């Protein structure tokens, strides 16, 4: 990987596994971003980080967003992923700076699109999201955040304010050398279609979702 200059003009560490390939302006409905395109040579995935303003190196408002075709593109109400992505982009734009790293290869918490659809079919029959993955002989969560940490390093970021309800994301970033100054809740109002899924994430996967207590009436 050739030597790169981070957002602040600081040299990022030389790495051979994740390569910055392109940077281009990307106007969006949320505001003006720059799209940093990366190639993960180890996994073969193409990754992108959307950067707004000059985030700096410390305490950067950051979202690590796992790819979710059904939620992000199709507006599925089975999960809150699409709303979380929109909220994160809007929050970064409102703050004046920040980063959204969109992580491809994370579909279905890392099991892939078709396996995720099979798991959803099992959930429709009564299993929860954890039980469905296990019934398919698949891990509950197979995601790895090493590539996200290396992208942040390339952008000159040392610490983040992480928009996430998942404590494992925080732990993973710290393990990979990115400090987490604060974990910022990203709470989306639940609906009847996703309340069971969200409760399972809170009860069985340790997601911090205190707003679910106010919607006991949902089935």
């Amino acid at each position: 990987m050739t030597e790169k200059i981070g957002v602040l003009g600081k040299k990022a560490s030389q790495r051979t596994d994740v390569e910055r390939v392109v940077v281009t302006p990307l106007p969006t409905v949320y505001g003006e971003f720059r799209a940093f395109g990366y190639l993960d040579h180890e996994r073969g995935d193409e990754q992108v980080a959307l950067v707004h303003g000059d985030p700096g190196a410390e305490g950067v408002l950051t979202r690590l967003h796992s790819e979710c075709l059904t939620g992000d593109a199709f507006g599925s109400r089975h999960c809150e992923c699409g709303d979380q992505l929109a909220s994160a982009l809007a929050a970064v734009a409102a703050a004046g700076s920040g980063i959204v790293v969109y992580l491809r290869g994370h579909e279905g918490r890392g099991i892939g699109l078709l396996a995720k659809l099979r798991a959803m079919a099992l959930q429709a029959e009564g299993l929860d999201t954890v039980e469905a993955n296990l019934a398919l002989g698949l891990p509950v969560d197979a995601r790895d955040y090493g590539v996200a940490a290396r992208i942040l390093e390339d952008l000159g970021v040392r610490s983040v304010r992480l928009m996430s309800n998942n404590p494992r994301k925080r732990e993973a970033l710290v393990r990979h050398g990115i400090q987490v100054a604060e974990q910022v809740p990203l709470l989306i109002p639940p609906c009847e279609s996703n309340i069971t899924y969200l409760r399972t994430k809170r009860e069985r996967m340790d997601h911090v979702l205190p707003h679910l207590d106010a919607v006991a009436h949902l089935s």
Side-chain angles (χ1 to χ4, degrees):
M1 176 177 171
T2 58
E3 196 172 68
K4 300 294 191 298
I5 303 299
V7 173
L8 288 181
K10 297 185 178 180
K11 294 177 182 178
S13 302
Q14 278 192 294
R15 304 296 292 258
T16 57
D17 48 356
V18 178
E19 177 188 5
R20 187 197 296 184
V21 176
V22 63
V23 182
T24 183
L26 185 69
T28 76
V29 295
Y30 309 99
E32 298 291 328
F33 287 80
R34 284 170 291 155
F36 287 68
Y38 292 87
L39 178 59
D40 181 348
H41 288 285
E42 182 178 349
R43 293 175 173 266
D45 294 323
E46 297 173 335
Q47 306 287 6
V48 64
L50 299 185
V51 178
H52 180 70
D54 184 356
E58 307 288 349
V60 180
L61 186 62
T62 301
R63 167 71 178 167
L64 308 183
H65 189 84
S66 296
E67 176 183 26
C68 177
L69 179 67
T70 50
D72 299 340
F74 302 151
S76 168
R77 306 302 291 168
H78 181 270
C79 63
E80 81 277 42
C81 299
D83 288 336
Q84 283 190 317
L85 178 59
S87 294
L89 289 166
V92 163
S97 65
I99 300 170
V100 175
V101 181
Y102 192 87
L103 293 165
R104 303 186 67 204
H106 277 204
E107 189 76 57
R109 299 195 301 275
I111 64 175
L113 178 60
L114 295 182
K116 181 179 83 169
L117 294 177
R118 292 173 65 198
M120 289 170 62
L122 291 177
Q123 290 171 65
E125 296 175 2
L127 298 187
D128 68 31
T129 183
V130 170
E131 294 165 344
N133 281 32
L134 295 176
L136 293 171
L138 298 171
V140 174
D141 193 337
R143 290 174 293 183
D144 180 84
Y145 297 98
V147 66
R150 293 192 286 278
I151 287 171
L152 292 173
E153 287 176 0
D154 180 73
L155 294 171
V157 174
R158 290 191 293 268
S159 72
V160 299
R161 296 173 56 232
L162 181 65
M163 288 186 283
S164 177
N165 310 316
N166 183 358
R168 292 189 177 91
K169 282 188 182 180
R170 178 181 192 140
E171 295 163 3
L173 276 186
V174 172
R175 188 166 60 250
H176 287 289
I178 302 294
Q179 295 305 306
V180 179
E182 180 185 1
Q183 190 157 341
V184 181
L186 193 58
L187 304 176
I188 305 299
C191 63
E192 289 188 9
S193 297
N194 65 26
I195 186 64
T196 298
Y197 171 77
L198 293 175
R199 285 174 177 152
T200 299
K201 290 211 297 185
R202 182 173 70 170
E203 295 163 9
R204 304 194 63 180
M205 302 176 70
D206 300 323
H207 286 224
V208 182
L209 301 169
H211 66 312
L212 299 186
D213 294 334
V215 291
H217 63 283
L218 291 178
S219 60

